[in-house]
Amino acid sequence: MSGTVIAVVLGASRLGAFVKSVTGMGYPVIAIPLITLVLGIEDAVIIVAFPNLAANVALCFGARGGRAESRDIGRLLVWGIVGAVIGTFALVRVPETPLLVLLAVTVAAFVVNYVRSPQLRIAPATSHRWSPAVGLGAG
C-alpha cells in the first residue's frame, strides 16, 4: 500500500469518526465511499468493519441505560446478522459497478432523508412491521 492510499484511508477514517462522534452515526457513510475511491468497495468495507464495530460496541455500552426504550432491537439484530452473511457473499460475487451504484444511492437517500427530517420518528407498529427488512438491508 502506498503512502497516498494510507493517507486517504486514515483521513477518511478520521473524518467518518469525527462525524460519528458529533452525530452518533456516519462513520461508514463517510469512510466507505472515500476509501472506495482508492481501494475498491470490498477493501473499503473490510477496513471500516472492525473500527465501526468497536465504535458501536462503545456507544451501546455507554447508552445501555436506554435499552428499555428501544423497540425491536432483537429482530433488527437477528435480521442484520442474516443480511451481513448474504451481503458478504454478494460482495465477493457481484460485479463492483452495481455495488458502487447501490452505495451511492444509499448514501444519497440517507443524506436527503436526514436533511429533510433530522428529527424523524417512526411509529411502533411501523417499526415492528419493517424491522426484518431494515435489519436484512442494513446487514
Side-chain angles (χ1 to χ4, degrees):
M1 225 188 276
S2 72
T4 304
V5 171
I6 292 171
V8 169
V9 169
L10 291 175
S13 290
R14 287 186 70 169
L15 180 61
F18 173 74
V19 170
K20 186 173 186 97
S21 70
V22 171
T23 65
M25 61 186 145
Y27 178 66
V29 173
I30 302 290
I32 289 176
L34 294 175
I35 295 170
T36 297
L37 294 173
V38 295
L39 287 177
I41 195 163
E42 294 92 355
D43 293 329
V45 169
I46 291 168
I47 289 169
V48 168
F50 293 110
N52 192 49
L53 176 64
N56 286 340
V57 167
L59 284 171
C60 288
F61 184 76
R64 66 189 178 280
R67 185 171 185 250
E69 299 171 22
S70 64
R71 301 185 307 248
D72 304 314
I73 200 75
R75 290 167 57 103
L76 282 169
L77 177 66
V78 168
W79 285 100
I81 291 170
V82 171
V85 170
I86 292 169
T88 300
F89 285 110
L91 193 60
V92 297
R93 288 179 171 60
V94 176
E96 190 172 272
T97 303
L99 293 175
L100 291 174
V101 170
L102 180 61
L103 176 64
V105 168
T106 302
V107 170
F110 171 80
V111 169
V112 166
N113 188 47
Y114 187 76
V115 168
R116 277 189 29 201
S117 312
Q119 300 300 323
L120 177 67
R121 298 289 178 252
I122 299 190
T126 303
S127 72
H128 184 75
R129 180 176 48 248
W130 286 96
S131 61
V134 169
L136 189 66

